[in-house]
Amino acid sequence: MSLAVVFARASLGINAPLVTVEAHLANGLPAFNIVGLPEITVKEARDRVRSALLNAGFEFPAKRITVNLAPADLPKEGGRFDLPIAIAVLAASGQIPAQSLEQLEFLGELALTGELRSIKGALPAVLAAREAGRQLILPAGNEAESGLIHPTPARIAPHLLAITGWLHQQGDLPTPTPTAHHHQPQDGCLSDVIGQESGKRALEITAAGEHNLLLLGPPGTGKSMLASRLPGLLPPMSEREALEAAAIRSISGQGLDPHDWRRRAFRQPHHSASAVALVGGGSYPRPGEISLAHNGVLFLDEMTEFERRVLDALREPLETGIVSISRAAHRVTFPAHFQLIGAMNPSPCGHYGDGMSRSSSEQILRYLGKVSGPFLDRFDLSVEIPLLPPGALSRPRPKSESTATVRERVLAARTRQLARAGKTNGRLNSSELDKLCPLKRDDAAFLELALNRMQLSIRAWHKLIRVARTIADLEGEQEIARAHLIEALGYRAMDRLLRELQG
């Protein structure tokens, strides 16, 4: 047989589209050509496949070999096509049986000895193969990752010879050992934070309603410590959510811990990060920090030190929950549904309103102006984290609530939200707010008056209602009361600061 067809999977975002690998052997001068929009790494497979076949004891055909990777308009990159190309060449030259290849898919990078090396993005390929009803042959290095799927269509092979022996019905290829989930609590407890009760309360509301939170205060007051406690307050991820997050880490090349894959991400990029690092991109698009934080928390510390255009690039993903990256040949969409926690100082010197500020009002306004108003508008709550009062460290501290205690209230509030709307309050759109979160006429007039005096936007109106609804859910109330609106208005520290400086 001079023609063989083998199936593989490309990597395009978190998807793994099917690639048909066709190998044709023809008479003529010996040559080895790979067509079908291959990148440089795929073209180099010619040398890896030739050496691997020879060192594994196979005959490399002295013919004109043409390998087509279809569809031709789908870019292919990486060493993941080494194994399917080698299998296709062996099948076309009659060295392995080709009858069973229709129900199989292959992925793996070949060493020159014929050993298989692990690939990036194995998890999306396993999911796609299961949906297609085929078995997927993977390198042994991807066993733990493919073991996350139950039932798994994957089989594991350490060497090319193990696969060819299995195709000849000599020996067996094992299925991955199911990966057990070991629950590990998030680092740190809320009770470790000294004082800052208003910040803890804002963190509880943030977790309960899936809101975005801005922490404003001098250096060393516990803003970063508070932000790091948020993942511990969130409910556990469902299997679907965990698989989405694991698939992103799988294609990112940053590693995936298969024993802790259901732990919510907490990403803290440095303020020097570029827009590509934060949002994603590159000539062959890779996920950025906002996608790596999918279903988790993205913490931007020292927010005024980020470039303004970098922060503004987050505005659309915060609204849509996805990020689309377009290139000339293709378009990739990554999920990016995350909770945003920002932290910043109130002035260039780090202080304001505590008698320690050395900055003028003009300097503070220029400093705060590094972050655009539309981006600040994406935060549902902004709260001041002040310096601790004298004696707070030396005096015996009252017992503070633990993360587990607060988490119980958060889970109860989320249960109420899901029963009412099928989603959290932070995800409600304007029409759903009008239907599910009505205000009494007097309360609506009160809120409108407060917005006019604070010179807030219509977006702020909706955010205040969402936050008030979450406060009511935490208290188990069926309706939003005036007290809930007043507390929600209290979480507008940035608006108050700007009004003081401008007035």
Side-chain angles (χ1 to χ4, degrees):
M1 182 179 183
S2 60
L3 177 65
V5 178
V6 173
F7 297 112
R9 294 279 170 181
S11 178
L12 189 64
I14 61 170
N15 299 316
L18 183 68
V19 173
T20 303
V21 182
E22 302 167 330
H24 178 245
L25 276 57
N27 295 326
L29 293 175
F32 194 171
N33 298 314
I34 300 177
V35 298
L37 208 58
E39 301 286 340
I40 296 297
T41 51
V42 180
K43 293 179 180 179
E44 292 172 346
R46 295 175 297 191
D47 298 317
R48 292 193 295 270
V49 169
R50 180 186 292 107
S51 297
L53 292 182
L54 292 175
N55 289 323
F58 293 102
E59 175 188 353
F60 190 79
K63 293 189 175 185
R64 185 175 184 84
I65 304 173
T66 301
V67 174
N68 179 41
L69 306 178
D73 59 348
L74 176 68
K76 292 93 180 173
E77 59 96 26
R80 62 197 296 122
F81 297 104
D82 291 2
L83 177 59
I85 290 174
I87 295 295
V89 170
L90 290 175
S93 59
Q95 299 181 69
I96 59 172
Q99 292 79 9
S100 60
L101 297 181
E102 292 183 0
Q103 300 303 318
L104 299 175
E105 296 179 8
F106 299 86
L107 284 177
E109 180 180 336
L110 283 173
L112 300 186
T113 60
E115 295 182 355
L116 293 177
R117 294 183 174 136
S118 60
I119 61 167
K120 293 187 297 183
L123 186 58
V126 175
L127 291 169
R130 183 177 69 173
E131 186 176 344
R134 298 191 187 94
Q135 287 186 310
L136 176 63
I137 314 301
L138 284 172
N142 294 114
E143 178 178 7
E145 190 174 336
S146 57
L148 300 177
I149 311 299
H150 304 291
T152 178
R155 288 184 176 267
I156 302 302
H159 197 281
L160 178 62
L161 287 175
I163 299 174
T164 56
W166 179 68
L167 292 174
H168 280 102
Q169 299 182 348
Q170 299 173 1
D172 191 23
L173 295 180
T175 57
T177 303
T179 303
H181 170 58
H182 303 287
H183 175 71
Q184 297 182 10
Q186 298 286 343
D187 298 331
C189 182
L190 202 59
S191 60
D192 298 335
V193 183
I194 302 174
Q196 307 300 359
E197 296 304 320
S198 62
K200 294 178 182 178
R201 172 63 171 172
L203 201 68
E204 178 182 349
I205 297 170
T206 298
E210 205 170 358
H211 303 291
N212 299 323
L213 172 66
L214 175 61
L215 304 173
L216 186 68
T221 55
K223 299 188 295 296
S224 300
M225 183 178 288
L226 278 170
S228 66
R229 270 46 178 184
L230 179 58
L233 299 177
L234 300 176
M237 288 193 290
S238 66
E239 183 176 2
R240 181 188 61 81
E241 291 175 329
L243 283 176
E244 284 182 353
I248 295 171
R249 292 197 292 272
S250 175
I251 65 175
S252 69
Q254 297 189 11
L256 169 63
D257 184 0
H259 299 290
D260 198 22
W261 63 293
R262 289 201 175 190
R263 188 175 185 176
R264 291 190 183 272
F266 181 81
R267 305 292 300 186
Q268 185 177 352
H270 192 260
H271 60 74
S272 62
S274 65
V276 171
L278 210 59
V279 177
S283 57
Y284 200 89
R286 291 285 184 266
E289 290 289 338
I290 63 173
S291 293
L292 292 170
H294 181 59
N295 292 326
V297 178
L298 178 70
F299 177 47
L300 301 182
D301 198 8
E302 303 295 343
M303 208 164 64
T304 51
E305 301 301 322
F306 283 83
E307 291 187 29
R308 182 166 177 159
R309 63 178 184 85
V310 173
L311 294 179
D312 285 341
L314 301 182
R315 285 157 51 184
E316 184 178 352
L318 280 169
E319 296 291 336
T320 63
I322 60 173
V323 55
S324 296
I325 303 170
S326 298
R327 293 294 179 264
H330 53 282
R331 179 178 180 177
V332 177
T333 298
F334 296 111
H337 182 80
F338 58 93
Q339 282 189 258
L340 177 63
I341 307 294
M344 57 188 291
N345 298 327
S347 69
C349 67
H351 297 271
Y352 178 78
D354 54 9
M356 301 174 63
S357 177
R358 303 185 305 274
S359 304
S360 65
S361 297
E362 292 76 10
Q363 289 174 322
I364 296 175
L365 285 172
R366 282 197 301 269
Y367 176 76
L368 298 178
K370 294 180 180 180
V371 183
S372 70
F375 180 71
L376 288 175
D377 226 12
R378 263 62 179 183
F379 289 97
D380 301 345
L381 302 90
S382 62
V383 61
E384 184 181 359
I385 308 298
L387 291 170
L388 293 176
L393 298 177
S394 57
R395 290 196 300 262
R397 297 192 298 271
K399 188 176 181 181
S400 179
E401 287 186 316
S402 67
T403 293
T405 302
V406 178
R407 189 168 180 262
E408 290 180 2
R409 294 199 297 267
V410 169
L411 293 178
R414 287 234 180 171
T415 300
R416 296 184 185 100
Q417 295 169 44
L418 295 177
R420 179 176 58 246
K423 60 176 70 172
T424 56
N425 294 330
R427 295 194 188 188
L428 296 176
N429 57 40
S430 58
S431 62
E432 290 170 334
L433 281 174
D434 295 337
K435 179 181 178 181
L436 301 173
C437 307
L439 297 180
K440 297 176 183 177
R441 179 174 297 180
D442 292 345
D443 292 339
F446 164 78
L447 184 59
E448 185 176 7
L449 179 62
L451 255 67
N452 291 333
R453 289 184 176 179
M454 298 174 69
Q455 298 179 353
L456 300 180
S457 65
I458 296 178
R459 179 182 280 120
W461 166 279
H462 292 143
K463 289 186 179 299
L464 284 166
I465 295 178
R466 291 189 186 101
V467 173
R469 180 64 264 177
T470 300
I471 296 171
D473 288 330
L474 284 169
E475 297 180 0
E477 299 292 340
Q478 295 294 328
E479 296 182 352
I480 300 175
R482 178 75 61 90
H484 305 144
L485 293 173
I486 293 174
E487 183 177 356
L489 284 166
Y491 299 116
R492 307 294 301 187
M494 177 59 76
D495 297 318
R496 290 194 298 272
L497 175 59
L498 292 175
R499 195 167 61 255
E500 288 177 10
L501 292 169
Q502 294 169 352

